[in-house]
Amino acid sequence: MIQISGNDLNNLDKRYRTILINSLAGIRQVALVGTMDKNRQSNLSIINSVIHIGAEPSLFGYISRPHTVERHTLENILETNHYTFNFVTEHFIKNAHQTSARYPKNQSEFKECGFQEEIFENQFVFVKEASVKIGMKFLEKITIKQNNTDLIIGEIQNVFIEPSRLEKDGFVNLENTMMNSGLDTYYVPEKIGKLSYAKPNSEPQILIS
Amino acid sequence: MIQISGNDLNNLDKRYRTILINSLAGIRQVALVGTMDKNRQSNLSIINSVIHIGAEPSLFGYISRPHTVERHTLENILETNHYTFNFVTEHFIKNAHQTSARYPKNQSEFKECGFQEEIFENQFVFVKEASVKIGMKFLEKITIKQNNTDLIIGEIQNVFIEPSRLEKDGFVNLENTMMNSGLDTYYVPEKIGKLSYAKPNSEPQILIS
């Protein structure tokens, strides 16, 4: 094994270190975050930090890092209290990645990156092309004091799912949607199987593979 | 599209709702969290909520939910301040899933689930079989007041990576390591490609596919 100590980490080239630490955190679902400001100027940004916080109430979080392009997203959320998470398929990989470019606030990434806005109830802006869409209401911003990163917590208001993706038990099948690692390497999930509920003294069974 | 409103969500069967909300949060890297209490009794639990919080300092978070089996992990972290994240390959899917069974505190999931302990510097317990291992020092527990879920923040102390997985630019290749969605459905990542840094007015290029 290659060993990298804390001291080694401190002495690494900044770019190498950023790529290392970012990719070490694992491969995660890509979400496009749709927002509007109070003048209905839309914004779309790419994140991979959606976090399940609870099912009752239905709470998701995500991480908003200081000094990144996603800050327009956070400004809009704080202004209007609403935002959306949108999962797109690998077909849209270039469009989705392009939302990470530094567009000025008066240019919408929806238009610049080739996505269509879908306004719902006058307050949610979804990505029309997405396979799974989640409308969120902002609840709380928690600032992590060590590096001024924000955890944004919201409650699910509504969900739109392609019928073929919703399974009988409530499971949402995210086959061929995008995931990424680091800032630029994209993946799709390949299913291994579904395992039975684990209990001491019995081995888990593969239910579906 | 199937639409599920906030009102529909509230009226769903509890189990259906749990599966729905959990799987809606996306597919994420599986990590095994290794800890010891002050008497060196080890514990191993499975999570999929590792969160990249920053690269300088190198901070990762994870979510510890109330009333779940992972609470032994949190108790140990608060007692000893050290813990490890371990990424294993799909070969260990059943062993990894089995760590979610409710073992009593005096039974170690390492032994019960077929993993070997690897003690480092007398304070970190890694999974010997893991391909990527990260030693963490506890920094802060932030309680999310809406549902008493905890965000556990720590700083990376050391990293062990299989040589073939560390690329020239610092990227850690997590090919054939496990991811999951919901509580029981496992995946491996299939790479689509690496895209060039996105800039306004130019289309991203696929660098490696």
Side-chain angles (χ1 to χ4, degrees), chain B residues 151-164:
Chain B
L151 169 63
I152 310 303
I153 297 175
E155 184 168 356
I156 298 179
Q157 302 298 297
N158 42 63
V159 182
F160 296 86
I161 308 172
E162 284 177 352
S164 64

Side-chain angles (χ1 to χ4, degrees), chain A residues 1-3, chain B residues 118 127-128 130-133 159-163:
Chain A
M1 303 287 268
I2 293 172
Q3 180 186 348
Chain B
E118 188 174 71
V127 173
K128 190 174 178 12
S131 303
V132 174
K133 313 175 193 191
V159 182
F160 296 86
I161 308 172
E162 284 177 352

Side-chain angles (χ1 to χ4, degrees), chain B residues 124-140:
Chain B
F124 299 98
V125 58
F126 290 110
V127 173
K128 190 174 178 12
E129 294 81 358
S131 303
V132 174
K133 313 175 193 191
I134 308 166
M136 301 291 300
K137 183 175 141 196
F138 171 70
L139 290 183
E140 195 185 359

Side-chain angles (χ1 to χ4, degrees), chain A residues 133 159-166, chain B residues 1-4 16:
Chain A
K133 313 174 193 192
V159 182
F160 295 87
I161 307 172
E162 284 177 352
S164 63
R165 292 183 180 274
L166 183 58
Chain B
M1 302 287 267
I2 294 173
Q3 180 186 349
I4 303 170
Y16 185 100

